[in-house]
């Protein structure tokens, strides 16, 4: 095969190329705009090629979510305390908006996918260990509810930031610093006092 036909059917890393194209579409148009045929065209491969790697649109979105949770878990792992995990959460959403959109919409992906389950478990453990690091007085009566409160705060802030709803309130402030200020009185770090 030569010329156009060779370019169409041979690709160095088709899986990565399709994922990258999908992330671009999601970031600009949202997950509803995804089409395997369009992604194949963008990657310069046959329209059937993406199905070889992802089977269908749901498989592709599952791969996006699994990759997102893996990146998210890595981002959270380096944070020393719950507040900094929240900052890492906000930073992740700002730097990976397409992943973020898909990860938290379970109707878009296969909930039983092993890669997704493993990556989500790693991220969940990183968040829970942040709550466990709080002194008992700083986490309330129920660790699980404290975790939900921390998650709600970080996720809500990140979502409002991504959708442009914090533009007026931020007044040009760095989102990470604004989040640190916001959380200073809500969750005390391991030392028991807000910094």
């Amino acid at each position: 095969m030569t010329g156009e036909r060779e370019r169409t059917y041979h690709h160095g890393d088709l899986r990565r190329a399709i994922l990258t194209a999908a992330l671009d579409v999601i970031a600009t148009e949202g997950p509803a705009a995804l089409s395997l045929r369009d992604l194949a065209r963008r990657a310069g491969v046959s329209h059937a090629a993406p199905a070889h790697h992802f089977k269908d649109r749901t498989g592709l979105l599952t791969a996006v979510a699994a990759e997102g949770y893996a990146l998210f878990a890595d981002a959270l792992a380096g944070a020393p305390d719950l507040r900094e995990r929240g900052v890492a959460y906000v930073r992740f959403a700002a730097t990976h908006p397409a992943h973020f959109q898909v990860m938290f919409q379970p109707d878009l992906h296969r909930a039983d996918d092993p890669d997704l389950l493993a990556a989500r478990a790693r991220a969940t453990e990183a968040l829970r260990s942040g709550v466990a690091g709080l002194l008992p007085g700083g986490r309330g009566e129920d660790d699980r509810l404290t975790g939900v409160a921390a998650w709600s705060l970080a996720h809500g802030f990140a979502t409002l930031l991504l959708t442009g709803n914090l533009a007026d309130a931020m007044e040009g402030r760095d989102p990470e610093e604004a989040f640190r200020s916001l959380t200073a009185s809500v969750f005390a770090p391991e030392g028991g006092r807000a910094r």
Side-chain angles (χ1 to χ4, degrees):
M1 291 190 284
T2 60
E4 177 65 24
R5 192 166 184 204
E6 185 173 336
R7 188 189 67 78
T8 301
Y9 290 100
H10 294 287
H11 201 287
D13 187 354
L14 176 59
R15 186 176 197 284
R16 180 76 259 156
I18 296 296
L19 279 170
T20 299
L23 292 168
D24 290 344
V25 170
I26 294 165
T28 58
E29 303 171 48
L34 276 184
S35 153
L36 291 183
R37 186 175 290 271
D38 176 57
L39 294 175
R41 182 188 56 74
R42 290 172 185 248
V45 297
S46 75
H47 71 276
H52 174 74
H53 288 278
F54 302 106
K55 186 176 178 186
D56 56 20
R57 186 176 179 279
T58 302
L60 173 61
L61 288 167
T62 301
V64 168
E67 179 178 80
Y69 274 110
L71 292 168
F72 186 46
D74 292 344
L76 295 172
D81 58 31
L82 184 60
R83 182 181 312 151
E84 290 307 308
R85 280 180 178 86
V87 170
Y89 197 112
V90 170
R91 183 182 310 120
F92 174 83
T95 57
H96 299 281
H99 287 104
F100 190 79
Q101 285 185 60
V102 174
M103 290 163 53
F104 298 103
Q105 293 188 54
D107 58 314
L108 294 180
H109 39 79
R110 292 188 178 95
D112 62 348
D113 179 78
D115 292 338
L116 176 61
L117 291 171
R120 186 185 300 152
R122 280 184 51 228
T124 299
E125 180 54 35
L127 290 169
R128 285 186 179 153
S129 68
V131 172
L134 293 173
L135 292 176
R139 64 179 181 237
E141 296 176 16
D142 184 335
D143 283 1
R144 197 161 176 96
L145 288 179
T146 301
V148 169
W151 181 27
S152 298
L153 188 61
H155 190 83
F157 187 90
T159 300
L160 291 169
L161 182 68
L162 288 180
T163 56
N165 286 295
L166 292 180
D168 290 342
M170 295 294 289
E171 297 177 342
R173 293 176 68 185
D174 175 65
E176 293 177 25
E177 288 306 314
F179 186 80
R180 281 186 185 97
S181 295
L182 177 70
T183 61
S185 62
V186 178
F187 296 105
E190 292 175 13
R193 297 180 52 198
R195 292 184 235 193

